[in-house]
Amino acid sequence: LDRLLYRGVLPRYAFPTDVATFHVFDPVNSTMYRPAFQFTPSQGLTIALSQYAPGKEVWIGNKLWTSEAIYSPMRDDRYRAWLGRRLYYECSVCHYARTTTFEGGSRGETKDCEACGGVGTFGPATQWLRPPGFAHPVSKPEGTSPDDMPAKSYATRAKLTAPTPADASKWKQLNERLRVHHTRQHLLVTNRGPREEGYTYCTKCGLIEPTANPKGTVAAAHRKPYPDIKEPMCPGGGATKGLVLGTDFITDVLLVAIRVDAPITLVPGVLATDVALRTICEAVTKAACARLELEANELQAEYRPALTPEGRAGLESEIYIYDTLPGGAGFAKRVGDIGLPIFEDALKLLEVCPDNCDRSCYRCLRSYKNKFEHDLLDRHLGASLLRFILNNSAPTLSPNRVAHSTNLLFEDLDRQDIEGLTLERYKKISVAGLGDVIAPILVTNASGAQFAIGLHGPLTPNEPTDADLKDIMEYATSLTVHLEDELVVRRNLPFATQKLIEKLG
């Protein structure tokens, strides 16, 4: 039955089977053969990987308990979980991830990423374990908290490991830039531990702690986390470091391929790509839930580079919309059946905010479920990409936004008070062959050489937002132009300023 449920042959709708329990022992009534429990709350494993992660504090019955063990009342469960462990690879650039058997790789190995093409960025491989359950150590009193705040760790969003279908007949073309493909695939959820260093796990008794913990005790002799009157101490010597915890589940997935053309790029791992695609993911799921009359947490979306040569070149990316319910409920398939109207609704959500916010707010895109990505939501940037996909409209930024960002850059450069450099804003200059043009920022050094500084759109790296600068770059050879990413200026002004100072010598 477990195998049929895992493969999605039997339905799991309203019948959760992938559940993890947090065990709080009852020391008074427990024996080494029959443990008793005060509390046994359960969560779906995808949620438990965050809420019950090792080192997390859990409030139950107005008391504080700490997750510090991998545990199951059925002793063979933990042993079988260890035998079934896999190797986990994740790209440090685009965060594409997958697991493989130990025959398909080796611990600590790095590979080239098949998604973004990064050389040696896929890995290093770590051991990946599906935990059968968690526990508060029986010998630890409730309500105690470590001197330092426990390190926080959260599970990743669900990652699609399936390849991009090469057969064009499997895709439904919505327009020249948008196509969809419905499938049922396993999605991967992983908790890599605080600072992504994994966990140190005692294979003998199940005690576990974050590897990042400088006061770790798992490697040495320690008390067993479960009741054992005869031999309460574990001798140690069975610890493994860098272990990550995870699960996978099959569900309905709608793969959405997005194609762009130069000068627009969706280069994997670049801030602008992450912001634009994350924003579109949130807008599309919100629009789909509204049209299908679903709760906001019944559909989610994630993105990745297309596993194609175009994906590695930044000309194709993929969004995958999936049912959060393990086993699927057909919602993602319905989104594909509706097609373009969902994406048109998403564009309206991005273009019109009741509060007319600068980037995002709780009236348009933000919610509790995307609280960790609030800084990656920019409705204006997402709308510019979605307009291009739907209407072939070139991505542009509003003049007010460009002027504001240019002012930020000018004021920060001017504040540096660099000796020998003179800065001027909106300076009219004469360029041979062009006549009089206006430079957004004009820099003159001690020898009299001049440089024009401007901004480029986040998705168009070599296209200045200013028409005069575009003419200067095309026709003038006497004036050097330096362009800075408008998004970087708004998000990381010191970095943008330092880059320009280095270019100016």
Side-chain angles (χ1 to χ4, degrees), residues 83-97:
L83 290 182
R85 69 194 188 280
R86 298 170 65 85
L87 287 174
Y88 176 79
Y89 295 81
E90 182 171 333
C91 178
S92 59
V93 175
C94 69
H95 301 291
Y96 171 71

mmCIF file with all atom_site columns, all heavy atoms in Angstrom, residues 83-97:
data_model
loop_
_atom_site.group_PDB
_atom_site.id
_atom_site.type_symbol
_atom_site.label_atom_id
_atom_site.label_alt_id
_atom_site.label_comp_id
_atom_site.label_asym_id
_atom_site.label_entity_id
_atom_site.label_seq_id
_atom_site.pdbx_PDB_ins_code
_atom_site.Cartn_x
_atom_site.Cartn_y
_atom_site.Cartn_z
_atom_site.occupancy
_atom_site.B_iso_or_equiv
_atom_site.pdbx_formal_charge
_atom_site.auth_seq_id
_atom_site.auth_comp_id
_atom_site.auth_asym_id
_atom_site.auth_atom_id
_atom_site.pdbx_PDB_model_num
ATOM 1   N N   . LEU A 1 83 ? 18.817 3.066  5.782   1.00 0.00 ? 83 LEU A N   1
ATOM 2   C CA  . LEU A 1 83 ? 19.180 2.249  4.621   1.00 0.00 ? 83 LEU A CA  1
ATOM 3   C C   . LEU A 1 83 ? 18.705 2.887  3.318   1.00 0.00 ? 83 LEU A C   1
ATOM 4   O O   . LEU A 1 83 ? 19.331 2.713  2.269   1.00 0.00 ? 83 LEU A O   1
ATOM 5   C CB  . LEU A 1 83 ? 18.582 0.843  4.756   1.00 0.00 ? 83 LEU A CB  1
ATOM 6   C CG  . LEU A 1 83 ? 19.171 -0.066 5.838   1.00 0.00 ? 83 LEU A CG  1
ATOM 7   C CD1 . LEU A 1 83 ? 18.489 -1.426 5.802   1.00 0.00 ? 83 LEU A CD1 1
ATOM 8   C CD2 . LEU A 1 83 ? 20.683 -0.224 5.666   1.00 0.00 ? 83 LEU A CD2 1
ATOM 9   N N   . GLY A 1 84 ? 17.602 3.638  3.384   1.00 0.00 ? 84 GLY A N   1
ATOM 10  C CA  . GLY A 1 84 ? 17.043 4.251  2.174   1.00 0.00 ? 84 GLY A CA  1
ATOM 11  C C   . GLY A 1 84 ? 17.553 5.645  1.898   1.00 0.00 ? 84 GLY A C   1
ATOM 12  O O   . GLY A 1 84 ? 17.012 6.331  1.025   1.00 0.00 ? 84 GLY A O   1
ATOM 13  N N   . ARG A 1 85 ? 18.583 6.086  2.613   1.00 0.00 ? 85 ARG A N   1
ATOM 14  C CA  . ARG A 1 85 ? 19.094 7.444  2.401   1.00 0.00 ? 85 ARG A CA  1
ATOM 15  C C   . ARG A 1 85 ? 19.661 7.583  0.990   1.00 0.00 ? 85 ARG A C   1
ATOM 16  O O   . ARG A 1 85 ? 20.050 6.596  0.351   1.00 0.00 ? 85 ARG A O   1
ATOM 17  C CB  . ARG A 1 85 ? 20.156 7.791  3.443   1.00 0.00 ? 85 ARG A CB  1
ATOM 18  C CG  . ARG A 1 85 ? 21.457 7.040  3.316   1.00 0.00 ? 85 ARG A CG  1
ATOM 19  C CD  . ARG A 1 85 ? 22.301 7.203  4.570   1.00 0.00 ? 85 ARG A CD  1
ATOM 20  N NE  . ARG A 1 85 ? 23.645 6.644  4.409   1.00 0.00 ? 85 ARG A NE  1
ATOM 21  C CZ  . ARG A 1 85 ? 23.950 5.375  4.503   1.00 0.00 ? 85 ARG A CZ  1
ATOM 22  N NH1 . ARG A 1 85 ? 22.993 4.480  4.735   1.00 0.00 ? 85 ARG A NH1 1
ATOM 23  N NH2 . ARG A 1 85 ? 25.213 4.975  4.354   1.00 0.00 ? 85 ARG A NH2 1
ATOM 24  N N   . ARG A 1 86 ? 19.720 8.801  0.512   1.00 0.00 ? 86 ARG A N   1
ATOM 25  C CA  . ARG A 1 86 ? 20.183 9.083  -0.836  1.00 0.00 ? 86 ARG A CA  1
ATOM 26  C C   . ARG A 1 86 ? 21.224 10.195 -0.802  1.00 0.00 ? 86 ARG A C   1
ATOM 27  O O   . ARG A 1 86 ? 21.510 10.760 0.267   1.00 0.00 ? 86 ARG A O   1
ATOM 28  C CB  . ARG A 1 86 ? 18.992 9.478  -1.725  1.00 0.00 ? 86 ARG A CB  1
ATOM 29  C CG  . ARG A 1 86 ? 17.947 8.389  -1.864  1.00 0.00 ? 86 ARG A CG  1
ATOM 30  C CD  . ARG A 1 86 ? 16.682 8.890  -2.541  1.00 0.00 ? 86 ARG A CD  1
ATOM 31  N NE  . ARG A 1 86 ? 16.894 9.290  -3.918  1.00 0.00 ? 86 ARG A NE  1
ATOM 32  C CZ  . ARG A 1 86 ? 16.863 8.467  -4.951  1.00 0.00 ? 86 ARG A CZ  1
ATOM 33  N NH1 . ARG A 1 86 ? 16.642 7.177  -4.753  1.00 0.00 ? 86 ARG A NH1 1
ATOM 34  N NH2 . ARG A 1 86 ? 17.043 8.909  -6.178  1.00 0.00 ? 86 ARG A NH2 1
ATOM 35  N N   . LEU A 1 87 ? 21.753 10.534 -1.955  1.00 0.00 ? 87 LEU A N   1
ATOM 36  C CA  . LEU A 1 87 ? 22.669 11.667 -2.084  1.00 0.00 ? 87 LEU A CA  1
ATOM 37  C C   . LEU A 1 87 ? 21.899 12.861 -2.625  1.00 0.00 ? 87 LEU A C   1
ATOM 38  O O   . LEU A 1 87 ? 21.090 12.734 -3.556  1.00 0.00 ? 87 LEU A O   1
ATOM 39  C CB  . LEU A 1 87 ? 23.823 11.329 -3.039  1.00 0.00 ? 87 LEU A CB  1
ATOM 40  C CG  . LEU A 1 87 ? 24.888 10.369 -2.501  1.00 0.00 ? 87 LEU A CG  1
ATOM 41  C CD1 . LEU A 1 87 ? 25.876 10.013 -3.615  1.00 0.00 ? 87 LEU A CD1 1
ATOM 42  C CD2 . LEU A 1 87 ? 25.633 10.978 -1.321  1.00 0.00 ? 87 LEU A CD2 1
ATOM 43  N N   . TYR A 1 88 ? 22.141 14.015 -2.041  1.00 0.00 ? 88 TYR A N   1
ATOM 44  C CA  . TYR A 1 88 ? 21.420 15.236 -2.422  1.00 0.00 ? 88 TYR A CA  1
ATOM 45  C C   . TYR A 1 88 ? 22.396 16.222 -3.049  1.00 0.00 ? 88 TYR A C   1
ATOM 46  O O   . TYR A 1 88 ? 23.452 16.534 -2.478  1.00 0.00 ? 88 TYR A O   1
ATOM 47  C CB  . TYR A 1 88 ? 20.775 15.855 -1.184  1.00 0.00 ? 88 TYR A CB  1
ATOM 48  C CG  . TYR A 1 88 ? 20.083 17.177 -1.426  1.00 0.00 ? 88 TYR A CG  1
ATOM 49  C CD1 . TYR A 1 88 ? 18.816 17.221 -1.995  1.00 0.00 ? 88 TYR A CD1 1
ATOM 50  C CD2 . TYR A 1 88 ? 20.694 18.381 -1.084  1.00 0.00 ? 88 TYR A CD2 1
ATOM 51  C CE1 . TYR A 1 88 ? 18.168 18.420 -2.215  1.00 0.00 ? 88 TYR A CE1 1
ATOM 52  C CE2 . TYR A 1 88 ? 20.054 19.591 -1.289  1.00 0.00 ? 88 TYR A CE2 1
ATOM 53  C CZ  . TYR A 1 88 ? 18.789 19.607 -1.859  1.00 0.00 ? 88 TYR A CZ  1
ATOM 54  O OH  . TYR A 1 88 ? 18.165 20.809 -2.066  1.00 0.00 ? 88 TYR A OH  1
ATOM 55  N N   . TYR A 1 89 ? 22.040 16.715 -4.231  1.00 0.00 ? 89 TYR A N   1
ATOM 56  C CA  . TYR A 1 89 ? 22.820 17.736 -4.941  1.00 0.00 ? 89 TYR A CA  1
ATOM 57  C C   . TYR A 1 89 ? 21.954 18.985 -5.094  1.00 0.00 ? 89 TYR A C   1
ATOM 58  O O   . TYR A 1 89 ? 20.766 18.884 -5.429  1.00 0.00 ? 89 TYR A O   1
ATOM 59  C CB  . TYR A 1 89 ? 23.221 17.263 -6.340  1.00 0.00 ? 89 TYR A CB  1
ATOM 60  C CG  . TYR A 1 89 ? 24.169 16.092 -6.393  1.00 0.00 ? 89 TYR A CG  1
ATOM 61  C CD1 . TYR A 1 89 ? 23.706 14.782 -6.254  1.00 0.00 ? 89 TYR A CD1 1
ATOM 62  C CD2 . TYR A 1 89 ? 25.529 16.280 -6.611  1.00 0.00 ? 89 TYR A CD2 1
ATOM 63  C CE1 . TYR A 1 89 ? 24.568 13.697 -6.317  1.00 0.00 ? 89 TYR A CE1 1
ATOM 64  C CE2 . TYR A 1 89 ? 26.406 15.200 -6.689  1.00 0.00 ? 89 TYR A CE2 1
ATOM 65  C CZ  . TYR A 1 89 ? 25.919 13.917 -6.542  1.00 0.00 ? 89 TYR A CZ  1
ATOM 66  O OH  . TYR A 1 89 ? 26.779 12.843 -6.612  1.00 0.00 ? 89 TYR A OH  1
ATOM 67  N N   . GLU A 1 90 ? 22.532 20.148 -4.888  1.00 0.00 ? 90 GLU A N   1
ATOM 68  C CA  . GLU A 1 90 ? 21.840 21.409 -5.160  1.00 0.00 ? 90 GLU A CA  1
ATOM 69  C C   . GLU A 1 90 ? 22.834 22.395 -5.750  1.00 0.00 ? 90 GLU A C   1
ATOM 70  O O   . GLU A 1 90 ? 23.961 22.533 -5.267  1.00 0.00 ? 90 GLU A O   1
ATOM 71  C CB  . GLU A 1 90 ? 21.210 21.995 -3.899  1.00 0.00 ? 90 GLU A CB  1
ATOM 72  C CG  . GLU A 1 90 ? 20.439 23.279 -4.175  1.00 0.00 ? 90 GLU A CG  1
ATOM 73  C CD  . GLU A 1 90 ? 19.622 23.779 -2.998  1.00 0.00 ? 90 GLU A CD  1
ATOM 74  O OE1 . GLU A 1 90 ? 19.225 22.943 -2.159  1.00 0.00 ? 90 GLU A OE1 1
ATOM 75  O OE2 . GLU A 1 90 ? 19.379 24.991 -2.913  1.00 0.00 ? 90 GLU A OE2 1
ATOM 76  N N   . CYS A 1 91 ? 22.411 23.098 -6.801  1.00 0.00 ? 91 CYS A N   1
ATOM 77  C CA  . CYS A 1 91 ? 23.287 24.063 -7.472  1.00 0.00 ? 91 CYS A CA  1
ATOM 78  C C   . CYS A 1 91 ? 23.384 25.332 -6.636  1.00 0.00 ? 91 CYS A C   1
ATOM 79  O O   . CYS A 1 91 ? 22.371 25.882 -6.204  1.00 0.00 ? 91 CYS A O   1
ATOM 80  C CB  . CYS A 1 91 ? 22.759 24.388 -8.864  1.00 0.00 ? 91 CYS A CB  1
ATOM 81  S SG  . CYS A 1 91 ? 23.757 25.609 -9.751  1.00 0.00 ? 91 CYS A SG  1
ATOM 82  N N   . SER A 1 92 ? 24.593 25.811 -6.433  1.00 0.00 ? 92 SER A N   1
ATOM 83  C CA  . SER A 1 92 ? 24.801 27.025 -5.642  1.00 0.00 ? 92 SER A CA  1
ATOM 84  C C   . SER A 1 92 ? 24.429 28.284 -6.402  1.00 0.00 ? 92 SER A C   1
ATOM 85  O O   . SER A 1 92 ? 24.334 29.358 -5.817  1.00 0.00 ? 92 SER A O   1
ATOM 86  C CB  . SER A 1 92 ? 26.271 27.114 -5.200  1.00 0.00 ? 92 SER A CB  1
ATOM 87  O OG  . SER A 1 92 ? 27.134 27.131 -6.343  1.00 0.00 ? 92 SER A OG  1
ATOM 88  N N   . VAL A 1 93 ? 24.181 28.177 -7.707  1.00 0.00 ? 93 VAL A N   1
ATOM 89  C CA  . VAL A 1 93 ? 23.829 29.347 -8.522  1.00 0.00 ? 93 VAL A CA  1
ATOM 90  C C   . VAL A 1 93 ? 22.331 29.432 -8.739  1.00 0.00 ? 93 VAL A C   1
ATOM 91  O O   . VAL A 1 93 ? 21.681 30.411 -8.379  1.00 0.00 ? 93 VAL A O   1
ATOM 92  C CB  . VAL A 1 93 ? 24.577 29.319 -9.878  1.00 0.00 ? 93 VAL A CB  1
ATOM 93  C CG1 . VAL A 1 93 ? 24.122 30.476 -10.770 1.00 0.00 ? 93 VAL A CG1 1
ATOM 94  C CG2 . VAL A 1 93 ? 26.089 29.385 -9.664  1.00 0.00 ? 93 VAL A CG2 1
ATOM 95  N N   . CYS A 1 94 ? 21.742 28.393 -9.348  1.00 0.00 ? 94 CYS A N   1
ATOM 96  C CA  . CYS A 1 94 ? 20.314 28.447 -9.703  1.00 0.00 ? 94 CYS A CA  1
ATOM 97  C C   . CYS A 1 94 ? 19.433 27.656 -8.746  1.00 0.00 ? 94 CYS A C   1
ATOM 98  O O   . CYS A 1 94 ? 18.212 27.703 -8.862  1.00 0.00 ? 94 CYS A O   1
ATOM 99  C CB  . CYS A 1 94 ? 20.115 27.937 -11.133 1.00 0.00 ? 94 CYS A CB  1
ATOM 100 S SG  . CYS A 1 94 ? 20.413 26.156 -11.342 1.00 0.00 ? 94 CYS A SG  1
ATOM 101 N N   . HIS A 1 95 ? 20.025 26.890 -7.811  1.00 0.00 ? 95 HIS A N   1
ATOM 102 C CA  . HIS A 1 95 ? 19.310 26.120 -6.783  1.00 0.00 ? 95 HIS A CA  1
ATOM 103 C C   . HIS A 1 95 ? 18.474 24.979 -7.351  1.00 0.00 ? 95 HIS A C   1
ATOM 104 O O   . HIS A 1 95 ? 17.566 24.493 -6.677  1.00 0.00 ? 95 HIS A O   1
ATOM 105 C CB  . HIS A 1 95 ? 18.448 27.041 -5.921  1.00 0.00 ? 95 HIS A CB  1
ATOM 106 C CG  . HIS A 1 95 ? 19.249 28.103 -5.227  1.00 0.00 ? 95 HIS A CG  1
ATOM 107 N ND1 . HIS A 1 95 ? 20.131 27.809 -4.210  1.00 0.00 ? 95 HIS A ND1 1
ATOM 108 C CD2 . HIS A 1 95 ? 19.345 29.441 -5.434  1.00 0.00 ? 95 HIS A CD2 1
ATOM 109 C CE1 . HIS A 1 95 ? 20.714 28.929 -3.803  1.00 0.00 ? 95 HIS A CE1 1
ATOM 110 N NE2 . HIS A 1 95 ? 20.263 29.928 -4.527  1.00 0.00 ? 95 HIS A NE2 1
ATOM 111 N N   . TYR A 1 96 ? 18.754 24.557 -8.566  1.00 0.00 ? 96 TYR A N   1
ATOM 112 C CA  . TYR A 1 96 ? 18.171 23.314 -9.069  1.00 0.00 ? 96 TYR A CA  1
ATOM 113 C C   . TYR A 1 96 ? 18.702 22.171 -8.212  1.00 0.00 ? 96 TYR A C   1
ATOM 114 O O   . TYR A 1 96 ? 19.872 22.160 -7.815  1.00 0.00 ? 96 TYR A O   1
ATOM 115 C CB  . TYR A 1 96 ? 18.550 23.107 -10.536 1.00 0.00 ? 96 TYR A CB  1
ATOM 116 C CG  . TYR A 1 96 ? 18.178 21.754 -11.095 1.00 0.00 ? 96 TYR A CG  1
ATOM 117 C CD1 . TYR A 1 96 ? 16.849 21.425 -11.340 1.00 0.00 ? 96 TYR A CD1 1
ATOM 118 C CD2 . TYR A 1 96 ? 19.151 20.793 -11.371 1.00 0.00 ? 96 TYR A CD2 1
ATOM 119 C CE1 . TYR A 1 96 ? 16.499 20.184 -11.850 1.00 0.00 ? 96 TYR A CE1 1
ATOM 120 C CE2 . TYR A 1 96 ? 18.810 19.555 -11.882 1.00 0.00 ? 96 TYR A CE2 1
ATOM 121 C CZ  . TYR A 1 96 ? 17.483 19.252 -12.119 1.00 0.00 ? 96 TYR A CZ  1
ATOM 122 O OH  . TYR A 1 96 ? 17.138 18.022 -12.614 1.00 0.00 ? 96 TYR A OH  1
ATOM 123 N N   . ALA A 1 97 ? 17.856 21.194 -7.881  1.00 0.00 ? 97 ALA A N   1
ATOM 124 C CA  . ALA A 1 97 ? 18.260 20.130 -6.965  1.00 0.00 ? 97 ALA A CA  1
ATOM 125 C C   . ALA A 1 97 ? 17.677 18.793 -7.403  1.00 0.00 ? 97 ALA A C   1
ATOM 126 O O   . ALA A 1 97 ? 16.646 18.738 -8.081  1.00 0.00 ? 97 ALA A O   1
ATOM 127 C CB  . ALA A 1 97 ? 17.808 20.446 -5.541  1.00 0.00 ? 97 ALA A CB  1
#
